[in-house]
Amino acid sequence: DLDAMQAALLAAIPKAQSATVCIDLGGGSGSGVIINAEGLVMTAAHVSTGVGKDVTVILPDGTKLKAETLGLDSETDAALLRITEKLPEGKPFPFVEINRADDTKLGDWVFSLGHSGGFDKDRGAVARIGRLVRVANTTIQTDGALIGGDSGGPLFDMDGRLIGIHSRGGMVGGV
């Protein structure tokens, strides 16, 4: 099982890390994940802090881009923002696939990424593995440890598909 998990992680993490961003709010930060080539970012509602706010998204290579918050759902603690600046040469943003089949189940192995304690280019997004320990309606919970700065970061199945974003108190908002 460990060999299979290692192989899955080695295959999935590079793409997942390329789309995992730090969201700089000026007085703090959180994490997010790019979900389309145009720069739509999913994060936690408490990270976005509202609608129509200007924030800065920091890409894994340290590039800082302007973004604006679009909308949020405080009940599930989910939000979207849009990167308003383009990449050089009009390149598309790296993004992850969303697990639209919603086929995760209790006990599944998962991995999470986040910018614990803020952006650090040398360290990159921190990866953690865990298992789903609770699945209910719009929330899922893992036994993977999270700390400040991980909020809004992505949770992936072992195929590298997005299944949720980190919320408060160890809960993860559904996608």
Side-chain angles (χ1 to χ4, degrees):
D1 285 352
L2 292 177
D3 287 339
M5 285 176 48
Q6 180 176 344
L9 288 170
L10 288 173
I13 283 183
K15 184 174 181 179
Q17 281 182 322
S18 73
T20 300
V21 298
C22 182
I23 300 170
D24 184 352
L25 305 168
S29 67
S31 298
V33 63
I34 303 172
I35 59 170
N36 73 10
E38 291 77 38
L40 193 62
V41 177
M42 183 174 280
T43 189
H46 75 272
V47 170
S48 75
T49 70
V51 177
K53 307 256 183 186
D54 293 326
V55 297
T56 300
V57 168
I58 307 172
L59 302 178
D61 67 359
T63 300
K64 294 182 179 184
L65 299 170
K66 293 178 184 175
E68 73 172 324
T69 59
L70 298 177
L72 58 86
D73 181 341
S74 57
E75 187 175 312
T76 60
D77 196 23
L80 291 174
L81 56 94
R82 180 180 54 235
I83 301 172
T84 56
E85 292 185 275
K86 301 292 180 201
L87 289 176
E89 294 104 38
K91 292 181 183 176
F93 288 98
F95 66 96
V96 297
E97 176 188 351
I98 296 173
N99 179 353
R100 297 202 185 275
D102 194 25
D103 56 3
T104 54
K105 60 190 178 314
L106 195 63
D108 281 356
W109 286 99
V110 294
F111 71 94
S112 64
L113 295 171
H115 288 281
S116 311
F119 181 79
D120 183 329
K121 183 178 176 183
D122 293 331
R123 179 198 66 210
V126 176
R128 296 180 180 90
I129 61 169
R131 294 183 83 178
L132 294 181
V133 295
R134 182 172 181 261
V135 178
N137 298 329
T138 62
T139 60
I140 53 179
Q141 186 176 9
T142 76
D143 57 6
L146 301 174
I147 65 171
D150 285 331
S151 289
L155 180 69
F156 297 97
D157 63 20
M158 295 304 279
D159 292 322
R161 297 175 301 173
L162 182 67
I163 61 170
I165 50 136
H166 307 340
S167 184
R168 299 177 194 214
M171 298 300 287
V172 179
V175 185

